[in-house]
Amino acid sequence: MTITNKPALNLGFIGGSLSSAVGYAHWTASQLDQRWQVVSGCFSRNSEECAKTGKSWQISSDRLYTDWRDYITQEKGKLDAVVVLTPTPTHVDIVCALLDAGIPVICEKAMAADIEQSQQIKAALDRSNGFLAVTFNYSGYPMLRVLREHVKSGQFGKLKQVQVEMPSDAFIQAREKMHPQAWRLQDGHVPTILLDLAVHLHHLTGFLTELTPQSVNADFHHDSIFDGIIDDAWLWVKYNQDFRANLWVSKSALGYRNGMRVRLFGDQASAEWVQEEPERLHIFNKDSTRLTYDRGNCLYPDEIRDRFKPGHPGGFIEAFANLYGDIADALKSFNNSGRIDNPYVFGWDHAHEGLELLQASARAHQEERWISMAEKS
């Protein structure tokens, strides 16, 4: 079991009301192992929505706010960290203000909407010497962590390629079923679908391989009823050590709800993991043996955090809860040493690399050519 006797850290939210896309998932995950206690929030600018959320989560009404600037001023010194769950284009001002106030930040991906905003966050991080963790929750799945250990052991030999996809039909269902948030229907320097989905694909590739993107080509499409946006994108990425990635994200792929699939290939073995069957990891060896691991028979049990016995699957919320536990450990380590020393907690460097890759892919699509990561945007 993962329940500990450690005192819970005090957590605040900016954004993430009950009506938001991710608020309830973050709140539930943060509470699951009693590592955090949500004690205050500026959940929404709408006072009724903010009050409704606070009541549901049993937060005192005098610690509810509808203006995030007022929230930071009033709650400074009372919180161990604040989660930023507002739309991606608004992250930069909020994250910078929190860092300048000396408040550790847990920021929902994508960290920022483009490279320029990311650089503003870096400046605030440098001048404050603050703590910033960016949440990429899919690497919280135990079997992806187990896969990472298989890779590190050398079982796959020389890594050759990865194919990661994340298709959904969120923008191509019947019109009456679709109610996307307004900010998701506007593209900036980086198409919103890349900020929403492709950041995860970049993250998982780096998480599993520890390799660095060198160049990218891309092809974007529009297939939905929502005008003026990209809703389907292919990225082809060359990494160091002659490794390559084939990445596909879509919100116009009929029949898929969240079809995340990871296929990793080396010259000695390959692997496949599918989010809809998160507790199974399939490994295919060069001698034609095929092995399927789950929580009950994996080779790296230290990567498993059992909340209940195998055969009773964990899923998305549990993966997120693993990440919140890691962030709690990382924050305590940071407070003692000034360093984030946790292999599962990612900060500015990793998030910025992803934004550079996505912004370069937008340029590659426009110019119909490979773009080197060394080229200036």
Side-chain angles (χ1 to χ4, degrees):
M1 298 294 290
T2 56
I3 301 297
T4 73
N5 293 320
K6 300 175 183 177
L9 297 169
N10 291 325
L11 188 64
F13 275 29
I14 296 180
S17 72
L18 287 172
S19 64
S20 76
V22 296
Y24 184 72
H26 274 267
W27 178 80
T28 304
S30 69
Q31 306 304 289
L32 192 58
D33 297 326
Q34 301 177 10
R35 300 298 306 277
W36 300 88
Q37 179 183 9
V38 179
V39 297
S40 68
C42 176
F43 301 109
S44 174
R45 291 174 295 180
N46 181 293
S47 58
E48 291 184 5
E49 185 66 27
C50 190
K52 180 181 177 182
T53 304
K55 182 178 180 180
S56 178
W57 296 345
Q58 300 180 0
I59 296 171
S60 174
S61 60
D62 64 354
R63 300 192 71 178
L64 300 176
Y65 303 81
T66 55
D67 183 287
W68 63 264
R69 292 178 179 84
D70 184 43
Y71 176 66
I72 293 173
T73 299
Q74 297 299 321
E75 291 288 315
K76 180 180 178 180
K78 301 177 183 178
L79 300 168
D80 292 300
V82 168
V83 186
V84 178
L85 297 172
T86 58
T88 299
T90 68
H91 285 179
V92 58
D93 291 339
I94 299 170
V95 170
C96 289
L98 286 165
L99 290 171
D100 286 336
I103 301 173
V105 179
I106 302 169
C107 184
E108 167 69 2
K109 62 79 197 166
M111 178 181 68
D114 54 39
I115 294 174
E116 181 179 352
Q117 289 186 359
S118 176
Q119 295 288 9
Q120 293 178 49
I121 291 173
K122 181 63 162 61
L125 194 60
D126 288 345
R127 63 178 176 259
S128 66
N129 293 314
F131 176 94
L132 171 64
V134 182
T135 58
F136 300 97
N137 57 296
Y138 292 99
S139 57
Y141 277 107
M143 299 316 292
L144 280 178
R145 296 182 173 192
V146 167
L147 174 55
R148 184 173 184 259
E149 293 301 318
H150 279 276
V151 172
K152 290 169 64 177
S153 76
Q155 179 179 353
F156 287 77
K158 178 176 174 54
L159 296 177
K160 305 298 290 185
Q161 65 169 307
V162 70
Q163 298 175 8
V164 193
E165 61 186 47
M166 198 172 181
S168 80
D169 58 7
F171 285 2
I172 201 169
Q173 299 177 30
R175 182 183 290 270
E176 63 272 13
K177 285 187 173 183
M178 296 186 293
H179 305 284
Q181 296 161 300
W183 70 273
R184 284 194 161 99
L185 300 178
Q186 300 177 28
D187 283 347
H189 293 301
V190 180
T192 299
I193 190 173
L194 302 188
L195 299 171
D196 208 13
L197 302 183
V199 288
H200 287 302
L201 278 53
H202 159 263
H203 166 68
L204 288 177
T205 300
F207 175 76
L208 293 172
T209 70
E210 299 184 347
L211 299 176
T212 304
Q214 304 295 305
S215 60
V216 61
N217 208 336
D219 189 22
F220 299 164
H221 305 274
H222 170 261
D223 297 314
S224 73
I225 65 169
F226 301 108
D227 294 332
I229 62 167
I230 302 301
D231 50 49
D232 184 275
W234 292 85
L235 283 68
W236 302 279
V237 189
K238 294 179 182 178
Y239 284 73
N240 60 314
Q241 299 184 22
D242 195 30
F243 182 80
R244 57 199 184 277
N246 186 339
L247 312 178
W248 174 43
V249 294
S250 182
K251 292 193 176 184
S252 56
L254 277 173
Y256 290 91
R257 294 183 177 89
N258 185 341
M260 175 173 278
R261 180 189 302 265
V262 178
R263 291 182 289 182
L264 180 64
F265 298 86
D267 62 7
Q268 298 299 314
S270 67
E272 181 176 47
W273 178 86
V274 181
Q275 188 193 203
E276 291 185 349
E277 294 183 346
E279 301 233 318
R280 292 190 178 94
L281 171 64
H282 307 285
I283 292 185
F284 312 97
N285 294 307
K286 197 168 185 176
D287 63 5
S288 297
T289 57
R290 299 185 177 192
L291 301 174
T292 297
Y293 296 99
D294 63 19
R295 279 195 294 134
N297 72 345
C298 80
L299 299 183
Y300 300 95
D302 289 345
E303 300 303 321
I304 306 298
R305 300 178 186 178
D306 278 326
R307 297 180 179 86
F308 203 65
K309 57 189 176 182
H312 300 268
F316 184 87
I317 297 297
E318 289 85 353
F320 233 137
N322 290 341
L323 181 56
Y324 264 99
D326 297 326
I327 293 173
D329 291 338
L331 179 56
K332 289 188 174 184
S333 174
F334 179 84
N335 289 337
N336 291 329
S337 68
R339 300 188 308 274
I340 297 178
D341 187 19
N342 189 298
Y344 301 126
V345 177
F346 294 83
W348 183 86
D349 289 337
H350 181 71
H352 182 75
E353 179 188 271
L355 288 168
E356 286 187 319
L357 176 64
L358 300 184
Q359 197 152 318
S361 72
R363 182 177 171 189
H365 169 72
Q366 292 169 354
E367 299 182 13
E368 297 185 339
R369 68 179 181 93
W370 285 90
I371 297 293
S372 168
M373 299 300 293
E375 294 186 41
K376 299 297 183 181
S377 298

